[in-house]
Each structure stands twice: as structure tokens, then as C-alpha cells.
Amino acid sequence: MDIKHNLLDIEGTTAPIAFVHQILFPYAKKHITRFLKGFRFSEVQWKEIQSEFEKDMNLREESFLSRFSNPNSFTKMEPIVFSTDLIPSYFEYLIEKDRKFGPLKEIQGKIWKEGYESGEIKSTVYHDVPEFLKKAKESGIRNHVYSSGSVEAQILIYQYSELGDLRNYFESYFDTAVGGKREKTSYENIARKLKSSPDQIRFFTDIVEEAEAANAIGMDVVILNRPGNIPQKPHSFPIWDHF
């Protein structure tokens, strides 16, 4: 069956991993304490953050304990009392861990929006991306985004790219609200939202486990091998060095 939809990952696929890890993450970390002053989370978000914090507390990883334990405790076994004062530091910790956590992704997106609008941030997109998107659109193939970053953050990357505003080439954006990127059901949800048979969708990613999840429901898959990408385990999917 002919491909009617391109579903594109961002990091390591249309944009370098380095841009996300060396520009976006440090920018969010630098501004998160300031941004959260006076910010009010909803009750649902608050409970979600508290639950995530308690999971980390139970895991008791050294990097977590060294940041949040009572410095006067020799055993680091004293319970840590979660409070709003801990959220900025906890979000910094989650950024360092590259945790795919909804409330953090939302805050990061708002911080990055400030940076893009002020001109402090310009996104790096691979030079072959605009022409690929343009040709796809001209040939009747619809372009969509699926990334672990919030939809707001995805739009900003393409709006404020060094190659110009690329939003006109995309029809829809998906984040982890549809599910995790390594989960088969996420791709079922996307196909349903696109009202498309999975075999009419081609998914572009740099991660084999994501490719496997998409392919499990019948999507066509391409693995991108961009400079700086993480080496992947052996697989049988097509590998492209560029679009």
C-alpha cells in the first residue's frame, strides 16, 4: 500500500541530539527556578510530581540521595518530606536524567518558548529536512511529528529553526499523551487519530525499540543514522544517513 503519512521523530532524526542536550536542556535547567517562582500546578499535576518523587525516593539512587537527603544524616535513610520548595531542584534532577515526565515537559516547553521568542534560542534542524518535507507535501504525503517533548516544544523547534519557519509542512503533532514511544499501543492510537491504516504510515526514528513498536502494528519504518546518534542493536530496518 502507498505511504500517505510521514510520522517523524525529532531528536536524532530531524534535529541533532546535541541541540537538545547541549542547548535546550541547559537553558531549561538555568531558568527553571526563576520560572517556577509563583507558578501554580494543578492538583492533578501536584499529585503526579509527588508520586514521581516518591518513586525516586524508593529507588534510592546515589545521585538522588546526594541531592535531597539531610546532609546531617549519616545513613541517608531518613524519610525525605516532599514539598513545593523541592520541585525546582527535583526538576533539575529529572532534566539531568532526561526523564520523560509530563509536568516537566510542559514547564520546559514554556521556558523554551520564552527563549525562542526573545531570540536567545534558534533551533538546529538538519539541512535536508525542509526539502524532504516540501517534496512530501507536494506529492500528497502528509507530515506529522511524534516526539517525547511536549507538542508546544515540538512546534517551537520548527517555528524558530535556523532554516526558517517550517510549521506549514506539518499537519499534526503527537507527544507522550498518546503513550510512550516504545509502546505498541501508542502507534495504534496515532493511526486511529490519523484515520489511517498503519501500513500507510512511515515512521522515521533513530531508536530501534521505537521502530519495533511501530512496526508491530504494521507501520513502515526507517532508522536515521545521523552524526552523533547512539549506536543501535542489530536490526533489519532500512537505515538512512539522510532524507
Side-chain angles (χ1 to χ4, degrees), residues 8-240:
L8 296 116
D9 177 37
I10 295 179
E11 185 179 343
T13 301
T14 61
I17 290 175
F19 168 68
V20 177
H21 288 262
Q22 296 176 18
I23 304 297
L24 290 185
F25 285 177
Y27 188 87
K29 190 175 176 183
K30 176 183 176 182
H31 292 279
I32 204 157
T33 298
R34 171 194 59 79
F35 187 87
L36 288 176
K37 283 182 180 176
F39 185 87
R40 295 183 65 84
F41 290 100
S42 68
E43 186 176 346
V44 171
Q45 288 173 319
W46 167 257
K47 288 181 179 178
E48 195 175 350
I49 296 166
Q50 185 174 16
S51 175
E52 192 76 7
F53 186 89
E54 288 171 352
K55 287 177 188 175
D56 281 314
M57 189 162 57
N58 291 331
L59 285 174
R60 309 197 70 79
E61 288 189 3
E62 182 60 33
S63 57
F64 177 84
L65 294 176
S66 62
R67 185 188 290 263
F68 296 104
S69 292
N70 182 346
N72 297 319
S73 170
F74 291 103
T75 64
K76 293 186 179 179
M77 292 299 289
E78 293 181 9
I80 304 164
V81 179
F82 181 71
S83 68
T84 54
D85 293 340
L86 290 179
I87 293 178
S89 183
Y90 183 51
F91 275 13
E92 288 179 2
Y93 172 79
L94 295 180
I95 291 171
E96 292 167 8
K97 290 288 184 180
D98 192 11
R99 186 78 56 85
K100 315 300 184 187
F101 181 56
L104 169 64
K105 294 294 183 183
E106 180 181 335
I107 294 299
Q108 283 179 316
K110 294 181 185 303
I111 293 172
W112 292 331
K113 186 173 189 290
E114 290 183 346
Y116 283 116
E117 290 179 345
S118 71
E120 289 183 80
I121 303 175
K122 272 284 189 184
S123 62
T124 303
V125 174
Y126 286 113
H127 283 270
D128 57 350
V129 171
E131 186 64 19
F132 173 78
L133 297 174
K134 181 173 181 286
K135 285 182 176 178
K137 186 175 180 178
E138 289 174 348
S139 65
I141 297 174
R142 299 175 176 181
N143 298 311
H144 314 270
V145 180
Y146 180 32
S147 172
S148 58
S150 68
V151 165
E152 182 178 28
Q154 297 172 22
I155 294 171
L156 289 168
I157 283 177
Y158 292 114
Q159 180 179 2
Y160 292 97
S161 98
E162 293 174 342
L163 304 180
D165 188 342
L166 305 177
R167 289 176 297 169
N168 185 51
Y169 295 123
F170 294 103
E171 294 202 6
S172 59
Y173 301 82
F174 301 97
D175 59 20
T176 51
V178 299
K181 296 188 69 184
R182 302 186 184 203
E183 299 170 11
K184 174 183 171 184
T185 53
S186 306
Y187 300 90
E188 291 173 337
N189 291 335
I190 290 173
R192 193 177 305 115
K193 287 178 181 291
L194 295 181
K195 298 179 181 178
S196 173
S197 170
D199 60 3
Q200 294 178 324
I201 303 170
R202 177 171 288 154
F203 178 50
F204 296 87
T205 181
D206 61 316
I207 303 295
V208 170
E209 288 80 5
E210 295 176 5
E212 290 171 339
N215 187 245
I217 72 157
M219 285 189 185
D220 191 71
V221 173
V222 172
I223 300 281
L224 269 296
N225 181 35
R226 299 289 200 176
N229 281 13
I230 299 168
Q232 298 297 295
K233 67 182 182 182
H235 61 83
S236 59
F237 297 113
I239 300 173
W240 292 10

